[in-house]
Amino acid sequence: MVNNISVIIHGPLEEDFLEKNLNAIYRQLKNAKVIISTYKKDAEKVNILLKKTKNYTCENIEVLSCDDVFNPGFFNINRQINLVNAALDAIDKESFIIKVRMDQTINFTLLMKLVNVFSSDIKGKLITTNCYTRADRWYHPSDMLLAGDYKILRDYYPVEFFRETHMDNILLIRELVKSNHVKDFHSYWPESRLFTNFVKKRGDIIKESAEDSLEKLKTHVFVINSWDISLKWKKFLKGWIPVLPYTFKMAPFRDGPEEDAYNFKASDLNRVPSKNKESMFIRISKIYFKTGMYHFNPLFFSYRKFLLRVGRKAFDISLKFIPPIFHRTLVTIGRKFYYAIK
């Protein structure tokens, strides 16, 4: 049974999700120590929010006011290292740590129940979720939710920042693509960099192969399906439902490789509470992504742009059925409507 628990909440302020997390921690982890690691511009806002939150007392929470980094790194890897390291420096080294981003929520009761049920499997491993532990990339566990003993999290996050800038890596990958290099980009992805450093720090050897990647994940990571702990993310349907593992083609950046992106199931790597439940959610996920429903994510979907595209298409089709003498007038009217909506 784990009793000494610390929770790290890090990132730019997301007031609604921070409040949800604090309320959940109050209800589910009464004696947990909470470290909120954020930027100086947000720290005062966090303190104001805490004064309004009656459930929690200041003794349970420490707010860290951090400077931003000069070099954010590839996809902000140095920003994550900066905020998490600041929290690790302020935390009880004997505690079990749960790390969540500011724009995420989880059910802490369900997480700790799984930690206790699978304690022998989890011992000495980094706990993460299947979303987004990538099966198409080597050495790529998710870094959204992480949990484990202090030493595990301390080994996972390097003390020093990565020197490469975001543009450095983009240019390097662009050159690799031009030279027909089509795989093994794991040295550049933030999650893979963190994980391979973690494996090496533990005295293991990276053998640079798909088989070794799978073996290292099974050896050093315990994966929990997102729905088993109700992991929700603001960027996924505004956090209305648990995050689903994705399946689609993507090109992460211009002139980079197109990836057939998909995630592991937890049962691919370790035991799970229910394979039937896992199978059901995987089916739902495939329907959601295969049908293209993810394009209508309310956080990113622009109804204005959608209506403009539909209107333009309908206008182009209508011109085929209207005499050419009226085309100029219709185009003038169409432009006025277009820019009025835009």
Side-chain angles (χ1 to χ4, degrees), residues 71-75 78 162-170:
N71 169 24
F74 194 38
F75 287 111
N78 287 339
F162 292 108
R163 294 182 179 181
E164 302 92 338
T165 67
H166 185 80
M167 186 56 67
D168 287 336
N169 276 2
I170 285 179

Side-chain angles (χ1 to χ4, degrees), residues 24-289:
I25 293 167
Y26 172 76
R27 293 192 307 270
Q28 300 163 17
L29 299 176
K30 282 282 187 181
N31 299 316
K33 172 75 174 178
V34 181
I35 306 288
I36 301 172
S37 186
T38 190
Y39 298 110
K40 285 185 175 179
K41 65 183 179 65
D42 291 329
E44 185 57 36
K45 296 176 185 176
V46 171
N47 284 315
I48 292 171
L49 173 65
L50 292 178
K51 290 176 183 177
K52 297 178 183 177
T53 307
K54 298 177 182 178
N55 289 339
Y56 243 81
T57 62
C58 292
E59 287 120 20
N60 299 103
I61 301 174
E62 183 175 354
V63 180
L64 302 180
S65 176
C66 301
D67 288 313
D68 200 357
V69 293
F70 178 73
N71 169 24
F74 194 38
F75 287 111
N76 293 313
I77 185 172
N78 287 339
R79 282 188 166 137
Q80 182 181 169
I81 291 170
N82 180 42
L83 292 181
V84 176
N85 277 346
L88 289 173
D89 289 342
I91 223 160
D92 180 1
K93 294 176 176 56
E94 301 300 319
S95 63
F96 180 86
I97 299 172
I98 303 169
K99 181 207 77 77
V100 294
R101 291 176 14 167
M102 189 81 78
D103 58 353
Q104 297 173 320
T105 62
I106 65 166
N107 185 307
F108 294 93
T109 299
L110 293 177
L111 173 62
M112 295 313 301
K113 182 178 179 181
L114 290 176
V115 168
N116 290 319
V117 169
F118 295 106
S119 58
S120 59
D121 300 52
I122 286 171
K123 188 175 181 181
K125 292 185 177 182
L126 179 74
I127 301 167
T128 186
T129 66
N130 64 317
C131 298
Y132 298 103
T133 298
R134 297 280 292 268
D136 59 299
R137 292 179 180 172
W138 293 357
Y139 310 105
H140 194 292
S142 172
D143 64 349
M144 293 179 71
L145 164 77
L146 295 177
D149 294 333
Y150 176 87
K151 187 175 187 318
I152 294 172
L153 272 292
R154 181 67 281 170
D155 286 347
Y156 194 73
Y157 283 95
V159 176
E160 296 183 356
F161 299 133
F162 292 108
R163 294 182 179 181
E164 302 92 338
T165 67
H166 185 80
M167 186 56 67
D168 287 336
N169 276 2
I170 285 179
L171 293 174
L172 282 167
I173 292 174
R174 187 176 296 176
E175 290 302 312
L176 288 171
V177 172
K178 286 180 180 178
S179 62
N180 298 318
H181 191 91
V182 294
K183 61 177 183 177
D184 310 349
F185 291 94
H186 63 276
S187 297
Y188 305 101
W189 306 121
E191 296 87 347
S192 300
R193 288 287 296 275
L194 289 172
F195 182 64
T196 52
N197 279 2
F198 173 65
V199 169
K200 292 173 184 175
K201 194 164 186 177
R202 302 185 112 197
D204 212 338
I205 299 170
I206 298 295
K207 298 177 182 177
E208 309 281 342
S209 70
E211 294 77 16
D212 184 61
S213 172
L214 182 61
E215 181 190 331
K216 292 299 187 289
L217 287 170
K218 288 181 177 180
T219 301
H220 298 283
V221 175
F222 188 89
V223 173
I224 296 172
N225 285 318
S226 59
W227 44 86
D228 287 329
I229 54 171
S230 193
L231 169 65
K232 296 177 181 178
W233 183 27
K234 191 168 187 176
K235 291 183 180 179
F236 188 85
L237 296 173
K238 292 187 176 180
W240 294 336
I241 64 171
V243 180
L244 296 174
Y246 52 65
T247 306
F248 56 75
K249 290 188 180 296
M250 62 180 290
F253 41 82
R254 186 178 176 183
D255 296 331
E258 184 179 68
E259 300 177 331
D260 190 10
Y262 62 104
N263 303 139
F264 280 109
K265 306 188 300 292
S267 63
D268 293 331
L269 301 169
N270 45 248
R271 291 195 294 159
V272 295
S274 170
K275 284 197 173 184
N276 290 332
K277 185 178 179 181
E278 181 184 66
S279 179
M280 180 189 71
F281 271 94
I282 292 299
R283 288 194 190 99
I284 293 171
S285 176
K286 285 182 178 178
I287 292 170
Y288 178 69
F289 287 103

Side-chain angles (χ1 to χ4, degrees), residues 263-330:
N263 303 139
F264 280 109
K265 306 188 300 292
S267 63
D268 293 331
L269 301 169
N270 45 248
R271 291 195 294 159
V272 295
S274 170
K275 284 197 173 184
N276 290 332
K277 185 178 179 181
E278 181 184 66
S279 179
M280 180 189 71
F281 271 94
I282 292 299
R283 288 194 190 99
I284 293 171
S285 176
K286 285 182 178 178
I287 292 170
Y288 178 69
F289 287 103
K290 292 285 187 183
T291 59
M293 291 171 63
Y294 65 92
H295 288 301
F296 296 91
N297 188 328
L299 192 65
F300 301 110
F301 182 69
S302 170
Y303 292 97
R304 180 178 293 178
K305 290 181 180 178
F306 176 73
L307 290 173
L308 287 172
R309 285 199 300 269
V310 171
R312 176 178 282 180
K313 189 70 175 177
F315 181 81
D316 291 342
I317 293 172
S318 69
L319 289 177
K320 297 178 182 179
F321 304 98
I322 296 173
I325 193 172
F326 297 113
H327 284 188
R328 181 172 291 182
T329 303
L330 286 171

